[in-house]
Amino acid sequence: MTETGLTWPKNVNEIPKAAFTRKDIYAEEMKRIFFGQEWHPVAHESELPNPGDFKTFRLAGVPLLIARDMEGVVRVFYNACSHRGNQLETAVMGNKTEFECPYHRWLFDAKGDLVGCPNHRDFLPGFDKSDYPLAQPRFDSFFGLFFVTLSAETEPLPEFLGGSQNTLRELLGGDGRLKLLGYQKVRYDSNWKSYTDNDGYHAPLLHQAFKLLNWQGGKGRQFTSTKHGHICFESALSVVSGPTVLKDDSLIAFKGQDPAVGSRIVSLFPTFVSTKHLDVINLRFATPIDEETVEVHYAYFAHQDDDEDMVRHRLRQSSNLLGPCGLISMEDASIFHRIHIGNHTPGNAIFQKGVHDQSKLEAEFLQNDESGNLPRWEYYRSVMGFERAEA
Amino acid sequence: MMQTDNALEAAMDALLLADASALDGKDMKGWLANYSEEDESSYICRSAENSENGLALGFMYDDCRSRLEDRVTFVNDIWAGTFQDYRTRHFVQRVEYRRVDAATISMRSNFSVFMTPTDSGITQVLAAGQYLDTIRLEKTGALKLLSRRAELDTSVLPRYLVYPL
């Protein structure tokens, strides 16, 4: 994109810091990425388990209404009346069989059909309610995880997910039969790319907790899937065995069945990071607010087959471990902020760990390599149309 | 042990202020000292949005004395040096209370917390909400928190939390 005047470095491990801070680039990202050919997770169906349940969410500013009808079918609508475009539902979640717009009392059922509008004899000749359902973006689902795309050209969801499907399925409890435990919602003073660059990837040196808890990372692999540069981490768990500084070590206990599927991270372009770690199942619905701010809704889940003790264990672990105040993640949140401040300096951010050749992208990485983010950066560069420097 | 309402109210307010003072002073041991030594003493910080929708998950979920003690370890030892520090000012106001039995009172208070990050120096509201407390009248005459739920009106925090609210 020549008009932005950003030249991309020749080396694949260098990212221009200006990409994180410039308003004109952010505006272009909205067009090319958020309204472009990407799928964005917006809800898991277990967030609306009962007929009539709904959730609202704003994706890159676009208001969405995700609703389960009385037959149990989940659909995604634009959360705007089909008449004058008034925001239809103001609650973040709830249960309704019908949605009424207060402006002119247009009434929609949970299938999105317009079922009532007063005084329609005054409307255009030939007015027919069936011509005015709630508008819908394209959507599809994967083991109950609902994705939206705002472009008609986006590839089908299975192709978009590609080789990340199995890791994502395992992360979703193996079958997607989840039970919502609740949310932690937060805004970070960080460009959305600094958030996604640093949320999945974890620098073990950062985490003092690992040392104090006598906790070593389990063996695992990191790999990239599809041209979008989705990143998957699959690690076995190494559960803390020695002494810990915690008086209540249930916070870091693993009560699940199989340590081989103990830890999973799937980071989908552009903003979605999801993780299963110990007994925490966490989907992070993130959306950019502006070039300096990202909002993240951490949604936590149990599995439908859990007994009461397991649900309670997951609840206690989920609340305190991995969120914006979590024992082993609060420092990540701080890094999002500090990286973003640092990105207001000239030059490039340089990736080192795991980079073998500055002219070549790889697809398989070691667990703690930073280089796993580079295929995603190459995809970003190509979608944004930034030319690589020749020298 | 019966106290007059005035003396009891003064003692409850002193407990509220002692907690605010400990938190604003980043005195985690002082914070812990406001809680009862009983095993089931607890601090839970959760959005009203979660509570009203039957979702028990919190921002912090310290549902026993051991976890309260671990919270002190998080802040004082595990997280030391890893975050951008910020000052807080808690404003608290008792709204209502009820004697549950001879040794227990339930109390509801409003709170708002201002935050000033040390790097930016810009003050903003960190959170507003209410404290739903159960207070223990101990044999010594002291009042301690048996349980506190910080129920946040703020469902989307403007920042990560280091200290309890």
Side-chain angles (χ1 to χ4, degrees):
Chain A
M1 189 173 51
T2 50
E3 65 267 31
T4 64
L6 182 70
T7 300
W8 207 262
K10 175 169 177 281
N11 293 330
V12 298
N13 64 324
E14 296 180 11
I15 311 299
K17 293 180 204 166
F20 295 92
T21 58
R22 278 174 41 177
K23 280 189 200 313
D24 57 336
I25 291 176
Y26 179 78
E28 199 64 27
E29 289 170 350
M30 284 293 118
K31 280 188 250 170
R32 293 184 182 229
I33 295 172
F34 291 94
F35 288 81
Q37 296 175 36
E38 312 298 336
W39 286 97
H40 310 278
V42 295
H44 190 273
E45 64 176 4
S46 60
E47 294 174 76
L48 28 151
N50 302 309
D53 283 352
F54 69 88
K55 164 186 172 175
T56 59
F57 182 69
R58 291 187 71 176
L59 170 66
V62 178
L64 299 173
L65 169 65
I66 304 110
R68 187 184 286 276
D69 74 12
M70 303 321 284
E71 282 81 52
V73 178
V74 175
R75 296 180 183 83
V76 183
F77 305 100
Y78 290 113
N79 184 18
C81 181
S82 57
H83 177 204
R84 292 279 296 279
N86 192 48
Q87 177 196 30
L88 185 63
E89 177 56 51
T90 56
V92 167
M93 60 185 126
N95 184 284
K96 281 186 178 175
T97 55
E98 292 176 326
F99 298 91
E100 187 182 54
C101 178
Y103 195 6
H104 301 89
R105 304 283 166 202
W106 284 33
L107 184 69
F108 302 89
D109 65 17
K111 296 183 196 313
D113 291 326
L114 178 62
V115 294
C117 49
N119 307 320
H120 61 82
R121 282 184 213 87
D122 301 338
F123 294 177
L124 271 174
F127 175 85
D128 184 343
K129 287 205 294 270
S130 67
D131 293 336
Y132 291 87
L134 290 176
Q136 292 181 279
R138 270 181 76 195
F139 65 92
D140 198 356
S141 67
F142 177 82
F143 287 95
L145 183 59
F146 275 72
F147 291 74
V148 160
T149 180
L150 302 175
S151 163
E153 270 80 57
T154 315
E155 67 202 309
L157 180 62
E159 287 169 35
F160 173 84
L161 294 173
S164 59
Q165 290 188 41
N166 196 52
T167 318
L168 185 56
R169 180 187 61 76
E170 289 177 346
L171 192 154
L172 294 167
D175 56 10
R177 292 173 51 248
L178 302 179
K179 177 182 160 50
L180 179 66
L181 296 175
Y183 301 94
Q184 293 173 338
K185 300 180 181 179
V186 65
R187 282 192 177 189
Y188 293 124
D189 297 335
S190 173
N191 181 269
W192 64 272
K193 300 188 296 301
S194 308
Y195 162 72
T196 49
D197 231 12
N198 296 286
D199 198 27
Y201 162 73
H202 279 71
L205 294 174
L206 169 67
H207 293 297
Q208 175 74 354
F210 289 177
K211 206 167 102 195
L212 282 170
L213 299 172
N214 192 20
W215 194 351
Q216 301 299 314
K219 293 247 181 308
R221 65 189 282 248
Q222 177 187 176
F223 61 97
T224 296
S225 89
T226 83
K227 65 178 183 183
H228 302 267
H230 305 321
I231 308 165
C232 301
F233 294 77
E234 297 185 348
S235 329
L237 269 181
S238 91
V239 182
V240 177
S241 51
T244 140
V245 296
L246 296 183
K247 297 206 165 149
D248 177 5
D249 60 10
S250 67
L251 177 58
I252 50 173
F254 178 60
K255 301 192 178 179
Q257 300 300 313
D258 182 3
V261 290
S263 185
R264 295 285 180 271
I265 301 171
V266 176
S267 175
L268 301 175
F269 188 84
T271 62
F272 183 67
V273 180
S274 52
T275 183
K276 176 202 172 300
H277 193 68
L278 295 173
D279 297 306
V280 177
I281 301 172
N282 183 209
L283 307 178
R284 301 170 184 169
F285 301 104
T287 184
I289 302 298
D290 56 32
E291 75 279 8
E292 307 272 351
T293 317
V294 61
E295 184 168 312
V296 187
H297 296 182
Y298 294 72
Y300 295 89
F301 300 87
H303 190 271
Q304 289 178 16
D305 293 342
D306 289 345
D307 62 21
E308 209 175 302
D309 285 348
M310 188 63 174
V311 171
R312 175 151 184 76
H313 168 63
R314 288 197 204 262
L315 173 71
R316 299 177 78 237
Q317 193 167 64
S318 298
S319 297
N320 282 8
L321 196 67
L322 291 178
C325 343
L327 169 65
I328 58 169
S329 54
M330 185 281 292
E331 309 103 296
D332 292 334
S334 165
I335 289 295
F336 307 150
H337 284 198
R338 294 170 76 161
I339 287 248
H340 188 63
I341 291 170
N343 279 336
H344 290 264
T345 57
N348 301 322
I350 303 171
F351 287 68
Q352 299 280 358
K353 194 165 163 54
V355 179
H356 305 104
D357 180 343
Q358 291 184 305
S359 65
K360 215 170 76 187
L361 285 171
E362 300 180 46
E364 280 280 344
F365 310 90
L366 297 177
Q367 195 179 4
N368 293 319
D369 285 350
E370 331 181 85
S371 47
N373 291 13
L374 296 175
R376 180 166 59 191
W377 276 111
E378 174 55 15
Y379 176 70
Y380 170 85
R381 186 198 64 75
S382 70
V383 170
M384 293 296 289
F386 297 131
E387 301 278 339
R388 258 192 208 289
E390 294 187 357
Chain B
M1 178 185 61
M2 286 297 288
Q3 298 184 47
T4 64
D5 282 356
N6 280 348
L8 182 63
E9 287 171 11
M12 287 188 293
D13 288 345
L15 177 62
L16 262 183
L17 296 175
D19 181 79
S21 177
L23 287 172
D24 292 345
K26 301 173 189 173
D27 172 11
M28 290 300 293
K29 290 197 168 135
W31 171 79
L32 182 65
N34 293 321
Y35 283 81
S36 160
E37 300 269 351
E38 294 170 63
D39 287 345
E40 60 268 37
S41 63
S42 67
Y43 168 79
I44 290 171
C45 170
R46 174 160 80 207
S47 69
E49 181 183 288
N50 273 356
S51 296
E52 286 163 5
N53 286 284
L55 303 170
L57 189 108
F59 285 107
M60 299 184 191
Y61 201 99
D62 299 337
D63 61 350
C64 58
R65 177 78 192 183
S66 307
R67 283 207 166 187
L68 291 174
E69 291 173 8
D70 287 341
R71 177 72 51 196
V72 177
T73 306
F74 288 12
V75 175
N76 286 356
D77 302 323
I78 295 179
W79 290 340
T82 64
F83 55 90
Q84 302 151 292
D85 207 358
Y86 56 92
R87 298 172 195 268
T88 61
R89 296 295 160 207
H90 284 66
F91 293 81
V92 291
Q93 183 169 46
R94 175 169 49 81
V95 175
E96 64 177 23
Y97 70 96
R98 180 172 61 83
R99 291 173 190 264
V100 177
D101 58 39
T104 319
I105 299 160
S106 71
M107 175 171 74
R108 184 166 68 85
S109 320
N110 290 343
F111 71 84
S112 57
V113 184
F114 287 87
M115 154 182 83
T116 312
T118 48
D119 52 356
S120 74
I122 306 285
T123 302
Q124 68 182 110
V125 175
L126 178 57
Q130 49 184 348
Y131 291 132
L132 306 174
D133 295 337
T134 307
I135 297 172
R136 197 63 106 196
L137 279 143
E138 305 209 315
K139 291 195 181 80
T140 58
L143 266 55
K144 297 284 181 185
L145 290 164
L146 178 62
S147 71
R148 159 161 289 186
R149 197 166 95 215
E151 179 113 313
L152 307 187
D153 299 337
T154 312
S155 55
V156 182
L157 289 173
R159 191 186 183 87
Y160 55 92
L161 295 180
V162 176
Y163 311 100
L165 287 172

